[in-house]
Amino acid sequence: MKKCLALAVALCLILASFCAFAEEEEYTIVVMPKQVGITYFEAARSGVERAGEELGVNAVFTGPTVADAAEQVSMIQDLISQGVDAIAVSANDADALTPVLTQARENGIVILDWDTPADQSVVDLSVQTVEFTHFGECNWDELVKAMGTDEGEYAILTSTLTAGTCNAWIEGGLAYAAEKYPNLTLVCDPVVTNESVDEAYSKTLDLLTTYPDLKGIIGFSSPAPIGAGQAVSEMGMQDTVAVVGTCMPNDANSLMKEGAIDTGLLWDPADLGYLTVGLAKYVLDGNEIADGDVEIEGYGTATINGKQVFMGEPLVFTVDTVDNYNF
């Protein structure tokens, strides 16, 4: 009897130790931007880190120092060897990432994309901001409003030719403009700026020189409107060239106040980072992925449609409202 009692106590102690270990074990969720160091993605980092603290997971924010798909591939290969639980990537080139993300899935890693989509066949969920076509349409509406006319020449600045989200915004916006604003004239193909304020600045100077009748610029990728605004300011063309696009309120603040940027369209990137971690944990916890509204711990309600999750309407800010935001 005593031996049975002792054995039972020992088993209870072993079970208690195992449960304690299980409770202490954390998921490791890696969120990878296109590029670390730029303000948009650094703002997203704050949401990722806050989610890690509040949700009890090891949330790691890491990515290449330049917007390069090959660097992302190499880093993901390292993460596979480390045995992380989930990887969420903002894809510099969706096609280039497909083989390594497939390898990660085969190793039992949950795969999400966020901000810019990867190959949808290899992700569990795609965490997006605003529905792509709608966001493109909003940018063209704001351009026309800022120009004060629905006719004239304009240009588009973009991130890279392989940036899926930017391409989707442009495709949707151009189709919309062809119907609603047929008298707008796009002077050239979208101009690549490689997530660089300096490139956006220098290429906008080229545009302003090459197309003296230019009336507007749409900048896609958060550095693009900033560089464009700097060029417009330098040329003293604040009253003749409208600049709109995806920028951070803090980055755009001074340029808006001098009239070099007219309108910013975005969302809170910290909320996007938080939602990405929350959704990764949702999948890792074994929840079923089904269409409809779901409650994401720490975030609130999110709506899943297929594999995509959208945050909602864009934030639109101008000189009158830019001071209301601090990111």
Side-chain angles (χ1 to χ4, degrees):
M1 182 70 179
K2 289 182 179 180
K3 287 183 178 180
C4 291
L5 182 59
L7 180 60
V9 171
L11 288 172
C12 287
L13 289 173
I14 292 170
L15 182 60
S17 298
F18 175 79
C19 290
F21 173 77
E23 289 175 358
E24 290 173 3
E25 188 177 6
E26 294 180 332
Y27 297 132
T28 294
I29 298 170
V30 178
V31 179
M32 181 176 293
K34 292 180 191 172
Q35 175 183 343
V36 296
I38 64 175
T39 52
Y40 172 80
F41 285 121
E42 291 307 305
R45 179 196 295 270
S46 68
V48 169
E49 293 175 347
R50 179 164 56 88
E53 294 172 1
E54 295 181 0
L55 303 181
V57 299
N58 179 27
V60 179
F61 190 88
T62 186
T65 56
V66 293
D68 181 68
E71 286 294 318
Q72 287 187 318
V73 169
S74 177
M75 296 182 76
I76 291 169
Q77 287 171 335
D78 288 341
L79 294 170
I80 294 171
S81 66
Q82 294 170 28
V84 302
D85 297 294
I87 299 171
V89 61
S90 178
N92 278 307
D93 183 336
D95 291 340
L97 294 184
T98 298
V100 74
L101 293 180
T102 301
Q103 181 186 352
R105 281 179 68 92
E106 290 170 350
N107 279 267
I109 298 173
V110 167
I111 302 298
L112 294 84
D113 64 43
W114 69 291
D115 180 70
T116 298
D119 179 347
Q120 296 299 281
S121 71
V122 297
V123 302
D124 294 280
L125 283 176
S126 182
V127 191
Q128 302 303 321
T129 50
V130 182
E131 195 278 323
F132 301 134
T133 298
H134 178 59
F135 189 73
E137 293 172 354
C138 289
N139 275 268
W140 263 260
D141 285 340
E142 293 300 329
L143 176 70
V144 167
K145 187 185 301 183
M147 287 170 51
T149 178
D150 63 358
E151 61 182 38
E153 296 182 351
Y154 76 105
I156 300 169
L157 303 180
T158 189
S159 172
T160 65
L161 293 179
T162 57
T165 298
C166 293
N167 288 342
W169 293 337
I170 293 168
E171 182 180 353
L174 287 173
Y176 176 68
E179 282 194 24
K180 187 168 183 180
Y181 304 119
N183 294 320
L184 286 179
T185 301
L186 183 64
V187 296
C188 62
D189 290 337
V191 177
V192 170
T193 60
N194 290 305
E195 299 284 341
S196 167
V197 170
D198 290 341
E199 280 201 45
Y201 161 77
S202 64
K203 290 182 177 179
T204 299
L205 288 178
D206 291 342
L207 288 168
L208 296 173
T209 302
T210 306
Y211 305 101
D213 295 327
L214 201 68
K215 289 185 178 180
I217 295 171
I218 301 176
F220 291 124
S221 88
S222 59
I226 306 303
Q230 291 175 353
V232 166
S233 175
E234 182 174 309
M235 297 287 284
M237 301 179 75
Q238 293 94 324
D239 295 330
T240 57
V241 178
V243 176
V244 307
T246 56
C247 52
M248 304 279 284
N250 287 350
D251 289 345
N253 193 299
S254 61
L255 289 165
M256 278 191 166
K257 289 177 178 177
E258 67 164 90
I261 295 178
D262 295 270
T263 309
L265 298 92
L266 203 66
W267 44 87
D268 189 336
D271 286 348
L272 177 60
Y274 196 110
L275 176 60
T276 299
V277 175
L279 285 165
K281 183 177 185 295
Y282 181 84
V283 176
L284 287 166
D285 283 342
N287 291 293
E288 180 185 1
I289 298 173
D291 288 359
D293 292 342
V294 295
E295 282 299 311
I296 301 302
E297 184 182 353
Y299 179 84
T301 303
T303 302
I304 299 176
N305 182 10
K307 290 185 176 182
Q308 294 184 325
V309 185
F310 290 100
M311 295 180 69
E313 287 295 312
L315 167 69
V316 180
F317 56 94
T318 65
V319 66
D320 296 324
T321 57
V322 66
D323 284 338
N324 296 340
Y325 308 102
N326 185 29
F327 61 86

